[in-house]
């Protein structure tokens, strides 16, 4: 809710509602307001008081501030930061926790304070909500703006001042009648002293801290002690946990170097780079706290403590990316879920990871349907189950056409879940069944009609008139099929998606053994949504002409079966598959309470699956597109440095697949929001009566958290593709039979040549690492150097000696 405050002709303050982003930005960006803001920042209090004024706490239905009694669904939260550094630091924290605190707007005030507009929890006063936000973020609060008539002076809407704005701010679900009832309820809570706030919260205090009153720097009512002027979150001096969800950090570090550095701890030559890398990764599970990281990270190979501290602080100040793959791979090896042990880390963590990082999506809130799917298989199988259900979601939302890189395609997806036997793949089967239950019910009816036709045909075998064969749109098609039957089924789905699932990929490998090329071609064309034709001269044979082949497929199987399904590594089939792998559970303890799909979880999945087919039309998601382009560029620059052609080529289709998968999750989020607001029947009515409603909601669903999910999906797909296929692709490309664009002559490429020239005729891996850091900077990784040396060997520039070193070839 946004109300613009203005002075009428009689000199009285009045209010009018602002209903959209454009109007709001225009009011903030007037030349006068920009001037008042700049002068106010320089200390002119009179100019500061002339800034545009807004109220967010009350509906103000009569346009009058006096006697406010209509609380809105939002509230304003004021933080006095003191200086720009504190302001930016706290703003970063609030933006990271935007989902938890219900943040709808965040802007910087003229005196380097922060104005946060958040959703108000129903039946809770503004003060209770302010305390909740302060406790969650561990940031100070100004207790003054707890009244309904509170006004904020706001500056312009430039990116440096308006840091975040969600269009939901301009929606108001409460009616005037509902708001009046809410007002009476809140007043009753205040009268009875039922507000859940700590002592001292109702006293005027610009630097109130409602948490940990025992911290020596703060007095008992939560106010700042005399002489203190710092407003950023302050951690008390303490000894931090030496474990993460029950896993000792010493074990995590040992496993970290085994996975990421061949088991070697940092040495004098690389300790700067590797300590920085380790701090960048561990900050995600150490609360982004320098003291905690200092306690956890040892001084490797005589590293001076003050130098180690500098590396830690440098890591904390660097851009915070999604949960790092290096650390995720390490934690995936600790498959025992220590949450049940009541680990102290559960209480100490800052909320980034609400479970042991067996889940690729830890700390990220998943929409209805997806969340239940993950709960049904366990967090350790989060990425596999999300990868498995996205083709289902894309099939159900068959009318949705997503614009990716100006190419408009349906949500066409092919998924393969790879895992050893007894690795948990079977728990995905009932989840797929839950998503497809409505389609399966229709298909059962069609199959029954076909059986009736067969009986009639057999009964009329010797009669002149034969019953006509029905062309029924069976959409859940088994893969244990022939090319002709499958083509005929796909032609009968009336322009909608078909879907196939097999829990055993060997079904494909055996059934299609002699026609694997046909299978590969059909799937490649289905991913692209291109035309598919099948001609035969016989009148009895199947003739098929499909304008857009729409067929999503999910397969589960062992890695061995994967290589039987994908046996050509240069025809484009491999790059179209979304690959996920189950964690290694070889030595895992048997879970006492294994995850299973409950009836409630299945029902919530059914609700989302029921609404998805109602969404029809083309959609452009500019934020998701930009996120995809940034990811592409990041991989491009990374692979250019290492001359990694395999990874560079994989990025193109992985970007498209990840965007389609993220769009599937966002569609679920749209359905969830509509169900919450209108109920299932109401949501269905809304989608039928307003055909473009889902598009408007989907645009809003491009939240930073959803874009972070895109990064996680894209990084994981890339990691799995390279894990299974890098070596096979390289062998195929460099084989004599491959006629691709691989140049026999090596051309100069830049920094790698400089490194080569600096090295002695005989050198070691560590020397190559040192020269790489000297030429390329601290961002060099061991994997990058290994790839560079591997390329040099293939290009005939170096050979590896018996002692493990390298020798230049003259």
């Amino acid at each position: 809710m946004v109300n613009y405050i203005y002075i009428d002709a009689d000199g009285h303050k009045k209010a009018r509602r602002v209903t959209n982003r454009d109007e709001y930005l225009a009011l903030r960006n007037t030349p006068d307001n920009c001037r008042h803001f700049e002068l106010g920042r320089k200390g002119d209090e009179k100019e500061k008081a002339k800034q545009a004024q807004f109220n967010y706490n009350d509906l103000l239905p009569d346009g009058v501030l006096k006697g406010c009694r209509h609380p809105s669904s939002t509230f304003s939260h004021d933080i006095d930061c003191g200086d720009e550094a504190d302001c930016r630091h706290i703003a970063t924290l609030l933006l990271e926790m935007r989902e938890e605190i219900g943040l709808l707007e965040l802007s910087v005030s003229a005196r380097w304070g922060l104005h946060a507009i958040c959703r108000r929890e129903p039946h809770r006063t503004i003060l209770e909500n302010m305390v909740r936000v302060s406790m969650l973020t561990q940031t100070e609060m100004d207790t003054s703006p707890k009244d309904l008539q509170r006004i904020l002076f706001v500056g312009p809407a430039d990116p440096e001042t308006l840091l975040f704005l969600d269009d939901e701010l301009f929606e108001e679900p409460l009616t005037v009648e509902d708001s009046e009832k809410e007002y009476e309820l809140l007043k009753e809570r205040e009268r009875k002293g039922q507000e859940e706030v700590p002592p001292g919260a109702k006293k005027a205090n610009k630097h109130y801290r409602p948490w940990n009153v025992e911290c020596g720097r703060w007095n008992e009512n939560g106010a700042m002690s005399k002489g203190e002027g710092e407003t950023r979150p302050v951690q008390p001096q303490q000894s931090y946990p030496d474990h993460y969800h029950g896993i000792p950090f010493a074990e995590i570090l040992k496993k970290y170097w085994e996975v990421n550095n061949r088991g070697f701890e940092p040495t004098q030559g690389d300790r700067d780079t590797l300590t920085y890398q380790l701090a960048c990764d561990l900050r995600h599970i150490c609360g982004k706290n320098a003291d905690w990281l200092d306690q956890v990270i040892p001084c490797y190979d005589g590293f001076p403590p003050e130098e180690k501290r500098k590396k830690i602080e440098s890591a904390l100040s660097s851009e915070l990316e999604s949960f790092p793959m290096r650390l995720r791979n390490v934690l995936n090896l600790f498959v025992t879920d220590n949450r049940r042990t009541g680990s102290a880390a559960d209480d100490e963590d800052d909320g980034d990871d609400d479970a042991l990082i067996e889940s690729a999506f830890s700390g990220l809130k998943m929409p209805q349907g997806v969340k239940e799917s993950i709960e049904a298989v366990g967090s350790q199988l989060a990425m596999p189950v999300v990868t498995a259900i996205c083709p289902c979601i894309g099939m159900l939302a068959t009318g949705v056409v997503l614009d990716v890189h100006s190419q408009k395609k349906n949500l066409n997806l092919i998924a393969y879940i790879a895992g050893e036997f007894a690795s948990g793949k079977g728990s995905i089967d009932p989840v797929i069944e839950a998503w497809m239950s409505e389609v399966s019910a229709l298909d059962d009816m069609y199959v029954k009609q076909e059986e009736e036709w067969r009986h009639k045909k057999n009964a009329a075998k010797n009669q002149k008139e034969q019953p006509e064969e029905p062309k029924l749109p069976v959409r859940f098609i088994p893969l244990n099929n022939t090319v002709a039957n499958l083509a005929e089924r796909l032609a009968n789905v009336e322009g909608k998606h078909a879907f196939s699932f097999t829990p055993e990929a060997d079904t494909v490998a055996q059934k299609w053994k002699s026609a694997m090329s046909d299978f590969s071609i059909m799937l490649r064309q289905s991913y692209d949504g291109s035309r598919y034709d099948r001609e035969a001269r016989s009148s009895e044979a199947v003739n098929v002409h499909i304008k857009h082949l729409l067929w999503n497929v999910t397969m589960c199987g062992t890695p061995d079966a994967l290589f039987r399904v994908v046996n050509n590594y240069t025809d484009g089939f491999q790059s179209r598959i979304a690959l996920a792998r189950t964690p290694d559970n070889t030595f895992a303890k048997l879970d006492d309470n294994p995850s299973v799909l409950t009836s409630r979880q299945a029902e919530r999945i059914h609700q989302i699956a029921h609404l998805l087919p109602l969404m029809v039309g083309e959609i452009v998601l500019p934020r998701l597109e930009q996120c995809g382009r940034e990811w592409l560029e990041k991989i491009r620059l990374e692979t250019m440095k290492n001359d990694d052609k395999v990874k560079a080529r994989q990025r193109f289709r992985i970007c498209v697949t990840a965007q389609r998968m993220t769009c599937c999750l966002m569609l679920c989020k749209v359905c969830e929001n509509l169900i919450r607001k209108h109920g299932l029947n109401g949501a269905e009515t809304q989608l039928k009566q307003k055909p473009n409603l889902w598009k408007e909601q989907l645009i809003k669903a491009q939240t930073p958290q959803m874009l972070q999910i895109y990064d996680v999906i894209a990084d994981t797909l890339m990691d799995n593709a390279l894990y299974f296929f890098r070596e096979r692709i390289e062998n195929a490309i460099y084989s004599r039979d491959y006629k691709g664009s691989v140049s026999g002559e090596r051309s100069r490429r830049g920094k790698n040549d400089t490194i080569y020239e600096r090295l002695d005729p005989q050198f070691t891996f560590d020397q190559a690492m040192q020269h790489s850091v000297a030429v390329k900077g601290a961002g060099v990784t061991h994997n990058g150097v290994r790839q560079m040396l591997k390329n040099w060997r293939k290009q005939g520039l170096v050979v590896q000696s018996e002692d493990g070193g390298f020798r230049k070839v003259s």
Side-chain angles (χ1 to χ4, degrees):
M1 165 59 74
V2 181
N3 291 300
Y4 175 59
I5 309 302
Y6 65 98
I7 307 296
D8 68 4
D10 299 324
H12 299 135
K13 277 191 175 183
K14 291 294 183 71
R16 65 176 174 85
R17 184 173 176 182
V18 180
T19 58
N20 59 73
R21 176 187 287 260
D22 292 339
E23 181 186 5
Y24 187 49
L25 299 185
L27 290 169
R28 295 183 61 154
N29 281 332
T30 62
D32 285 345
N33 195 48
C34 294
R35 186 178 68 257
H36 298 324
F37 178 80
E38 290 301 324
L39 293 173
R41 176 155 288 180
K42 293 176 181 178
D44 191 327
E45 291 295 326
K46 290 184 178 180
E47 289 292 328
K48 176 186 170 186
K50 293 179 183 177
Q51 293 179 91
Q53 302 176 35
F54 292 89
N55 171 277
Y56 307 88
N57 295 354
D58 197 278
L59 299 184
L60 301 180
D62 302 322
V64 180
L65 274 171
K66 190 175 181 181
C68 292
R69 53 183 300 113
H70 297 90
S72 70
S73 61
T74 60
F75 70 97
S76 56
H77 183 73
D78 197 11
I79 304 173
D80 289 317
C81 304
D83 59 32
E84 182 178 1
D86 283 343
C87 176
R88 299 299 181 195
H89 175 83
I90 297 172
T92 300
L93 177 64
L94 296 178
L95 289 171
E96 287 172 6
M97 301 186 68
R98 61 174 68 91
E99 290 291 334
E100 292 93 326
I101 65 176
L103 186 67
L104 298 177
E105 181 191 320
L106 184 65
S107 56
V108 180
S109 70
R111 304 304 292 274
W112 295 112
L114 286 169
H115 294 155
I117 315 302
C118 304
R119 299 185 194 93
R120 181 178 63 81
E121 284 195 348
H123 315 320
R124 293 289 185 271
T125 64
I126 290 176
L127 183 59
E128 287 178 291
N129 278 274
M130 290 167 63
V131 168
R132 176 180 61 84
V133 170
S134 182
M135 294 284 284
L136 281 171
T137 60
Q138 297 286 282
T139 54
E140 296 170 357
M141 57 178 273
D142 182 353
T143 59
S144 304
K146 60 179 179 291
D147 302 317
L148 294 176
Q149 66 268 27
R150 176 70 177 187
I151 290 174
L152 294 183
F153 296 95
V154 303
D158 60 82
E160 291 297 313
T161 306
L162 182 58
L163 306 179
F164 177 72
L165 178 63
D166 191 316
D167 286 341
E168 186 184 331
L169 180 63
F170 307 104
E171 302 173 1
E172 181 50 65
L174 285 177
T175 63
V176 173
E177 183 180 0
D178 291 338
S179 181
E180 288 175 347
K181 293 178 181 176
E182 179 81 350
Y183 177 79
E184 295 300 330
L185 186 149
L186 297 179
K187 279 297 177 185
E188 183 69 15
R189 283 173 59 81
E190 289 185 55
R191 281 194 293 270
K192 293 182 176 180
Q194 295 175 339
E195 284 183 289
E196 297 175 3
V197 295
K202 294 192 175 186
K203 299 178 182 178
N205 184 352
K206 285 184 174 292
H207 300 287
Y208 181 66
R209 287 180 159 235
W211 72 90
N212 195 6
V213 296
E214 296 177 0
C215 179
R217 304 181 71 174
W218 309 93
N219 59 35
E220 289 185 355
N221 68 358
M224 184 181 289
S225 299
K226 187 175 180 180
E228 296 292 349
E230 185 179 22
T231 61
R232 73 173 64 211
V234 176
Q235 299 290 342
Q237 295 295 321
Q238 58 180 289
S239 176
Y240 295 94
D242 60 358
H243 52 78
Y244 175 67
H245 291 285
I247 307 173
F249 276 110
E251 292 296 318
I252 292 176
L253 293 181
K254 180 181 178 183
K255 191 68 68 176
Y256 183 92
W257 298 125
E258 286 179 9
V259 172
N260 298 300
N261 200 37
R262 299 179 297 169
F264 297 111
E265 292 187 345
T267 60
Q268 188 171 359
D270 57 15
R271 66 191 182 193
D272 291 65
T273 303
L274 294 182
T275 298
Y276 173 81
Q277 172 189 303
L278 181 63
C280 284
D281 291 350
L282 289 183
R283 60 180 167 165
H284 291 265
I285 62 173
C286 289
K288 306 180 203 61
N289 185 307
D291 293 332
W292 196 353
L293 286 168
D294 206 356
Q295 174 184 303
V296 169
I297 300 176
C299 292
Y300 289 109
D301 200 16
F303 202 21
E306 60 274 11
E307 291 298 317
K308 181 187 76 171
R309 182 73 179 202
K310 286 181 182 178
K311 292 297 176 185
I312 290 172
E313 291 173 352
S314 177
L316 290 175
S317 64
S318 65
E319 183 179 353
L320 189 69
E321 299 178 347
S322 58
F323 202 89
M325 187 67 68
R326 287 184 299 262
L327 184 59
R328 184 183 301 131
N329 290 339
V330 171
L331 294 177
N332 279 343
L333 300 175
F334 297 98
V335 295
T336 305
D337 189 353
N338 287 327
R339 293 188 76 186
R340 295 190 182 93
T341 65
S343 167
D346 289 331
D347 302 319
E348 299 293 342
D349 262 5
D350 67 344
D352 251 357
D353 316 296
D354 44 23
L356 179 59
I357 310 302
E358 300 165 315
S359 166
F361 302 106
S362 291
L364 299 175
K365 188 176 180 181
M366 304 304 280
Q368 181 180 331
V370 182
K371 176 175 176 285
E372 285 72 22
S373 299
I374 294 173
E375 290 173 349
V377 299
S379 60
Q380 72 278 7
L381 289 172
M383 181 57 77
V385 77
V386 168
T387 306
I389 66 174
C390 277
C392 300
I393 297 170
M395 176 265 189
L396 292 166
T398 186
V400 175
V401 177
L402 177 65
D403 187 313
V404 179
H405 311 334
S406 299
Q407 297 288 322
K408 297 178 175 62
K409 303 287 184 183
N410 296 78
L411 300 176
N412 308 321
L413 291 164
I414 308 162
Y416 190 104
I417 316 305
E420 299 295 343
F421 59 86
S423 61
K425 300 187 300 297
S427 62
I428 295 174
D429 298 7
V431 176
I432 297 286
E433 291 173 7
W435 281 97
M436 299 300 297
S437 62
E438 204 166 294
V439 174
S440 295
L442 275 174
D443 284 355
D444 289 344
M445 181 180 68
Y446 295 143
V447 170
K448 189 175 181 181
Q449 291 179 31
E450 288 180 342
E451 289 175 353
E452 291 173 356
W453 168 79
R454 288 192 187 93
H455 288 306
K456 290 179 181 178
K457 183 177 174 64
N458 290 332
K461 190 186 308 182
N462 299 321
Q463 296 180 12
K464 186 176 181 180
E465 290 189 5
Q466 296 288 314
E468 185 179 352
E469 182 179 359
K471 303 291 185 183
L472 299 173
V474 175
R475 297 176 64 197
F476 198 167
I477 306 173
L479 281 174
N480 190 358
N481 220 323
T482 65
V483 176
N485 286 344
L486 182 59
E488 190 172 20
R489 286 290 194 202
L490 292 172
N492 291 338
V493 293
E494 301 174 342
K496 297 179 180 180
H497 268 87
F499 176 75
S500 295
F501 169 71
T502 177
E504 294 295 342
D506 266 327
T507 300
V508 175
Q510 294 299 320
K511 185 69 179 181
W512 294 74
K513 190 173 184 179
S514 60
M516 192 56 75
S517 178
D518 291 328
F519 181 73
S520 171
I521 290 169
M522 291 179 76
L523 279 180
R524 279 182 274 160
Q525 289 183 273
S526 70
Y527 181 90
D528 299 333
S530 57
R531 185 178 183 85
Y532 178 77
D533 297 287
R534 188 177 189 272
E535 288 275 2
R537 294 184 65 180
S538 170
S539 61
E540 298 296 322
V542 175
N543 288 269
V544 169
H545 301 281
I546 304 173
K547 186 176 181 181
H548 297 290
L549 181 59
L550 302 177
W551 179 35
N552 285 5
V553 176
T554 296
M555 297 174 275
C556 297
T558 62
D560 193 43
L562 171 63
F563 298 130
R564 286 193 287 272
V565 172
V566 184
N567 51 25
N568 187 317
Y569 312 114
T570 57
D571 65 357
F573 181 32
Q574 173 271 323
S575 62
R576 289 174 169 89
I577 298 177
L579 264 174
R581 52 181 163 136
T582 59
D584 183 4
N585 64 343
T586 305
F587 300 105
K589 184 180 177 182
L590 187 63
D591 201 331
D592 294 331
N593 299 295
S595 301
V596 293
L597 181 69
T598 65
S599 57
R600 171 162 175 74
Q601 290 166 350
E603 175 57 32
R604 287 174 63 80
I605 291 172
H606 295 162
Q607 291 176 356
I608 302 297
H610 180 71
L611 296 181
L612 288 170
L614 302 176
M615 302 176 180
V616 180
E618 295 180 1
I619 186 69
V620 179
L621 299 175
R623 295 182 195 170
L624 180 60
E625 172 72 11
Q626 181 60 29
C627 186
R629 288 180 177 273
E630 289 172 0
W631 183 85
L632 273 175
E633 182 64 9
K634 180 185 76 171
I635 301 297
R636 186 184 76 85
L637 294 174
E638 176 188 323
T639 52
M640 279 179 64
K641 292 176 184 177
N642 300 325
D643 193 26
D644 189 347
K645 292 178 182 176
V646 174
K647 186 173 183 179
R649 292 218 63 80
Q650 290 289 316
R651 79 187 197 276
F652 294 115
R653 286 207 175 109
I654 284 177
C655 175
V656 175
T657 301
Q659 285 200 47
R660 291 179 183 177
M661 290 176 66
T662 307
C663 181
C664 289
L665 304 187
M666 291 165 62
L667 289 171
C668 294
K669 183 64 178 176
V670 170
C671 294
E672 177 187 21
N673 291 341
L674 290 172
I675 291 170
R676 281 183 175 180
K677 193 170 184 179
H678 305 287
L680 180 60
N681 293 333
E684 183 177 358
T685 303
Q686 288 286 317
L687 287 170
K688 289 178 178 177
Q689 293 179 349
K690 301 176 182 178
N692 290 323
L693 176 62
W694 71 271
K695 296 183 183 181
E696 299 167 7
Q697 295 292 322
L698 194 63
I699 294 291
K700 295 177 184 178
Q702 298 175 96
T703 61
Q705 190 169 71
M706 273 296 175
L707 300 183
Q708 190 177 348
I709 289 174
Y710 167 85
D711 286 332
V712 172
I713 290 174
D715 288 341
T716 307
L717 293 181
M718 176 66 81
D719 183 60
N720 290 334
L722 297 178
Y723 177 84
F724 286 111
F725 289 108
R726 176 191 281 282
E727 188 174 345
R728 292 169 184 260
I729 293 171
E730 288 175 345
N731 292 339
I733 289 176
Y734 288 102
S735 70
R736 292 181 179 180
D737 299 330
Y738 184 65
K739 304 298 182 184
S741 57
V742 178
S743 172
E745 294 291 326
R746 182 181 182 276
S747 60
R748 289 186 61 83
R749 301 193 178 276
K751 291 183 178 179
N752 284 1
D753 297 271
T754 305
I755 297 166
Y756 183 82
E757 290 164 1
R758 291 176 58 147
L759 287 165
D760 295 331
Q762 289 188 325
F763 61 92
T764 65
F765 178 86
D766 289 337
Q767 289 170 336
M769 183 72 190
Q770 290 172 12
H771 284 289
S772 297
V773 171
V775 173
K776 296 182 178 180
V780 175
T781 65
H782 276 71
N783 286 337
V785 175
R786 276 195 288 272
Q787 183 62 41
M788 178 181 70
L789 294 172
K790 187 176 182 180
N791 291 338
W792 286 353
R793 291 202 305 276
K794 288 182 178 177
Q795 293 157 359
L797 297 175
V798 299
V799 293
Q800 194 162 10
S801 54
E802 294 180 359
D803 61 358
F806 298 88
R807 178 172 56 83
K808 291 184 180 179
V809 177
S810 58

